[in-house]
């Protein structure tokens, strides 16, 4: 069934995966909330989706096409990915604390590892590659912008957070998306993106949210956007990928 949809339309294949991921992950989160244990239902769902996606790619010999391979460029040309390492520390800039129980912390981290894999494969892999056939530049723009716009939900989820910091989150997420898609374009590998995405999300569970203020969120958001955006531009303008 997956093979048939993929052969008919790679775009619709990507859209189908996006819908399935959003629906099932949201359903898992809602049930987990009702049970009272963070990610207790979400994690098994994400693991199942990850296994299905991974086996599909392996079975159809699509690993290289979708970046599940070693980067084609040496780390030195990518500045040894130092900007990514800096970004990984962002959730820890204001301290470390246990926000939830040890069990929930473990469930959250494992869930975020799956999220990093799924989102990079779906958005930067399936969707980007399908769109790139009609124009690489438009595919890069759409990939970056949609990654940022996906975070706008925080403005409407009733969290009570300030408007400006959340808008900045959309901006810095788009900058990170730009950096990720440029890494993929230059190295032909999604591995650095998957690792960074997974670790960045995972570390948020131990960030000291209690000390966060709107001012700190604004500063952090701007700094993340500058680092990610500058790195993306460096890759776009100075790094020549292998043909």
């Amino acid at each position: 069934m997956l093979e048939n949809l993929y052969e008919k339309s790679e775009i619709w294949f990507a859209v189908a995966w996006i819908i399935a991921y959003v629906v099932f992950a949201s359903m898992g989160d809602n049930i987990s909330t009702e049970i009272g244990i963070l990610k207790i239902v979400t994690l098994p769902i994400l693991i199942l989706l990850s296994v299905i996606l991974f086996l599909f790619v392996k079975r159809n010999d699509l690993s290289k096409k979708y970046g599940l391979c070693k980067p084609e460029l040496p780390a030195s040309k990518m500045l040894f990915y130092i900007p990514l390492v800096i970004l990984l520390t962002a959730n820890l800039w204001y301290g470390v604390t246990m926000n939830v129980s040890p069990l929930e912390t473990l469930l959250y981290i494992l869930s975020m590892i799956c999220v990093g894999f799924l989102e990079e494969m779906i958005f930067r892999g399936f969707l980007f590659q399908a769109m790139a056939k009609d124009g690489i530049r438009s595919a890069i723009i759409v990939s970056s912008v949609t990654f940022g716009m996906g975070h706008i939900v925080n403005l409407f989820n009733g969290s009570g957070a300030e408007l400006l910091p959340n808008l900045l989150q959309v901006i810095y997420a788009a900058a990170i998306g730009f950096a990720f898609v440029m890494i993929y374009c230059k190295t032909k590998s999604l591995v650095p993106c998957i690792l960074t995405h997974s670790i960045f999300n995972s570390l948020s569970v131990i960030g000291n949210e209690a000390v966060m203020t709107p001012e700190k969120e604004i500063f952090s958001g701007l700094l993340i956007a500058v680092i990610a955006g500058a790195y993306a531009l460096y890759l776009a303008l100075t790094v020549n990928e292998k043909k």
Side-chain angles (χ1 to χ4, degrees):
M1 182 178 177
L2 288 177
E3 283 80 1
N4 292 337
L5 178 58
Y6 181 80
E7 290 173 1
K8 288 181 180 179
S9 173
E10 292 183 26
I11 283 284
W12 284 110
F13 180 82
V15 171
W17 264 104
I18 292 171
I19 294 172
Y21 167 68
V22 171
V23 169
F24 286 114
S26 298
M27 180 180 67
D29 281 342
N30 290 335
I31 298 175
S32 298
T33 300
E34 292 179 4
I35 294 174
I37 302 177
L38 182 68
K39 303 295 183 183
I40 189 67
V41 175
T42 311
L43 177 58
I45 292 174
L46 293 176
I47 290 175
L48 179 60
L49 291 175
S50 298
V51 170
I52 293 173
L53 188 154
F54 180 78
L55 290 179
F56 169 80
V57 170
K58 284 294 184 182
R59 185 170 58 246
N60 292 280
D61 196 26
L62 297 171
S63 297
K64 189 171 181 63
K65 178 177 179 178
Y66 292 118
L68 292 183
C69 56
K70 180 180 178 182
E72 294 186 1
L73 293 181
S76 58
K77 283 187 173 292
M78 308 300 291
L79 297 182
F80 297 98
Y81 302 102
I82 291 175
L84 295 185
V85 176
I86 296 173
L87 290 176
L88 288 179
T89 68
N91 286 312
L92 309 179
W93 287 346
Y94 300 105
V96 176
T97 187
M98 290 293 291
N99 294 303
V100 293
S101 69
L103 173 60
E104 289 179 313
T105 299
L106 176 61
L107 292 171
Y108 186 89
I109 290 173
L110 294 176
S111 295
M112 291 305 104
I113 292 173
C114 293
V115 165
F117 172 73
L118 286 167
E119 291 189 358
E120 291 304 314
M121 285 298 298
I122 294 171
F123 290 98
R124 231 83 57 195
F126 296 151
L127 184 60
F128 173 77
Q129 285 284 25
M131 293 186 60
K133 293 179 179 180
D134 297 321
I136 187 70
R137 291 184 180 180
S138 60
I140 289 173
I141 293 171
V142 171
S143 176
S144 305
V145 172
T146 54
F147 188 68
M149 293 302 293
H151 295 74
I152 204 168
V153 66
N154 293 326
L155 296 175
F156 311 105
N157 63 6
S159 63
E162 295 292 329
L163 174 64
L164 183 56
N166 274 320
L167 287 176
L168 282 171
Q169 185 183 34
V170 173
I171 294 172
Y172 80 65
I176 292 175
F178 183 27
F180 281 171
V181 76
M182 291 314 305
I183 289 171
Y184 183 34
C185 286
K186 300 297 182 178
T187 68
K188 308 301 184 288
S189 174
L190 270 182
V191 174
C193 307
I194 292 171
L195 291 176
T196 304
H197 195 155
S198 299
I199 297 173
F200 183 88
N201 285 2
S202 296
L203 291 178
S204 66
V205 76
I206 58 172
N208 192 0
E209 299 175 355
V211 301
M212 290 299 292
T213 63
E215 292 75 17
K216 289 180 179 178
E217 290 187 47
I218 292 171
F219 172 77
S220 299
L222 288 174
L223 186 55
I224 291 171
V226 169
I227 294 172
Y231 186 45
L233 288 174
Y234 165 79
L235 297 177
L237 300 175
T238 65
V239 177
N240 295 319
E241 66 271 26
K242 289 185 176 181
K243 302 298 181 184

